[in-house]
Amino acid sequence: MSLNVTAALYGEILKEEEGGFEERVNDAKKFMDWFFYKTGVERNVKDVKIFVAGGTGRYAIAAAEMGVKDISHMDLSEENVKRIKGISDQNNYGIKTIQGNLMDLDLENEYDLIVSEGVIQHLPDPGLGLQKISKCLKSNGSFFFSIYRYGTLSWTISERLRKLHSPADFNEMIDVLGKLSLYDRPIAYSHGTFGRWLLDVLYVPQHGTYAEQQVADTLEESGLSVTSRDNLPSLHFSLPTHKTLYFIAKAPEDLATVNWSAIKVESLYHDR
């Protein structure tokens, strides 16, 4: 049930964002340019094989527009997968679009680069999800992912508000926000609107927040190398900003040395 709610929720949120999607793709290009540089593939992007694990698909479109030829995008939302397939087909990008659950992945040694932004904290078992996605890496492949940071003011407030709402109520909230003319109200310094932000924060069924050092430690203990991370001091727990952690994990030359099952993360926020 929870995965169906998640798919429906993000299908609803994302179908309203068509007008700003091109701008989001342009922002994604800046990220991909940084990711290519950090992983040393900026000179041969046409030869890399990329997997975009969940999310809106803007990173898949951005990579295609930057010259990458072998791209796969997987998402839970049928609405979102259809949209990315339509853009890909219209522009002959050749993106392989897959509607499915990342928790069901069963691939190994498949991709040079993996991107998963804003997804891990919403999985039913984030540790197992990280294991399954990481196992898709080729030797020396790199995996970028973001995950919600524990202890920030934003998540502290939203975690308390979430306890007042049921995930099944989001359609009613859309109607209420619409009547109050709040659903499409822009948020300063953001591409989003108040309504879509509120739906995302309050109604997605799974929502976890994590400590940076614990995530970094579990990746290193498995045999992956953390080549980039936020690396903020422990005082970040008192900061109101920095809502999201990011990591780049790199696989070794010999994948047989990786203990995938050692990748485990535990949310410091206990949800509904």
Side-chain angles (χ1 to χ4, degrees):
M1 174 62 179
S2 62
L3 290 176
N4 291 335
V5 172
T6 300
L9 170 62
Y10 282 106
E12 177 65 36
I13 293 173
L14 295 170
K15 75 180 181 182
E16 302 291 343
E17 295 187 346
E18 293 295 343
F21 189 69
E22 184 175 346
E23 189 173 0
R24 288 175 175 269
V25 170
N26 287 333
D27 285 344
K29 287 180 183 177
K30 296 174 185 176
F31 162 78
M32 294 303 294
D33 191 52
W34 170 84
F35 189 35
F36 292 155
Y37 168 75
K38 295 292 285 187
T39 53
V41 303
E42 70 271 24
R43 296 183 183 276
N44 62 332
V45 296
K46 292 182 179 180
D47 300 326
V48 300
K49 189 174 183 180
I50 294 180
F51 178 38
V52 179
T56 66
R58 62 184 180 271
Y59 295 110
I61 300 297
E65 293 184 357
M66 295 172 75
V68 181
K69 301 300 183 184
D70 196 336
I71 306 166
S72 297
H73 171 247
M74 183 177 190
D75 194 58
L76 194 60
S77 167
E78 181 179 5
E79 186 83 28
N80 197 35
V81 170
K82 285 181 178 178
R83 178 175 65 165
I84 299 305
K85 185 179 188 312
I87 296 172
S88 176
D89 290 348
Q90 183 178 2
N91 294 279
N92 296 314
Y93 290 153
I95 297 171
K96 303 175 186 69
T97 53
I98 310 158
Q99 183 194 3
N101 182 358
L102 291 170
M103 300 300 294
D104 295 331
L105 275 174
D106 189 23
L107 297 173
E108 295 184 20
N109 193 17
E110 188 76 17
Y111 298 101
D112 301 296
L113 299 177
I114 299 174
V115 176
S116 187
E117 193 268 335
V119 175
I120 303 298
Q121 65 272 352
H122 298 316
L123 297 177
D125 185 338
L128 182 59
L130 279 174
Q131 291 177 30
K132 287 178 171 285
I133 298 171
S134 299
K135 287 180 75 173
C136 296
L137 287 171
K138 291 183 179 180
S139 297
N140 297 315
S142 292
F143 171 26
F144 170 91
F145 68 94
S146 65
I147 193 167
Y148 288 165
R149 179 193 301 278
Y150 173 75
T152 62
L153 179 62
S154 174
W155 296 134
T156 299
I157 293 171
S158 67
E159 285 162 1
R160 282 154 179 76
L161 290 174
R162 282 174 62 82
K163 296 183 183 299
L164 303 176
H165 297 272
S166 163
D169 294 338
F170 71 87
N171 283 318
E172 181 179 351
M173 179 61 79
I174 291 172
D175 292 337
V176 172
L177 292 171
K179 291 175 182 177
L180 295 174
S181 301
L182 292 174
Y183 188 79
D184 291 315
R185 178 168 293 183
I187 299 174
Y189 308 107
S190 171
H191 298 310
T193 68
F194 178 78
R196 290 188 281 276
W197 170 81
L198 191 66
L199 293 179
D200 189 10
V201 167
L202 294 185
Y203 294 108
V204 66
Q206 276 84 32
H207 171 102
T209 54
Y210 301 85
E212 179 179 353
Q213 193 59 52
Q214 190 270 331
V215 177
D217 287 346
T218 194
L219 294 170
E220 294 280 2
E221 288 166 6
S222 74
L224 300 176
S225 300
V226 177
T227 59
S228 188
R229 55 181 277 199
D230 282 350
N231 201 28
L232 290 177
S234 59
L235 288 176
H236 78 256
F237 290 110
S238 65
L239 297 177
T241 55
H242 300 292
K243 296 191 301 181
T244 306
L245 300 164
Y246 81 83
F247 298 89
I248 297 177
K250 184 176 181 179
E253 177 71 29
D254 185 1
L255 293 174
T257 63
V258 181
N259 180 10
W260 303 107
S261 62
I263 302 176
K264 298 177 182 178
V265 294
E266 181 178 354
S267 175
L268 299 179
Y269 163 61
H270 299 288
D271 210 347
R272 301 183 178 101

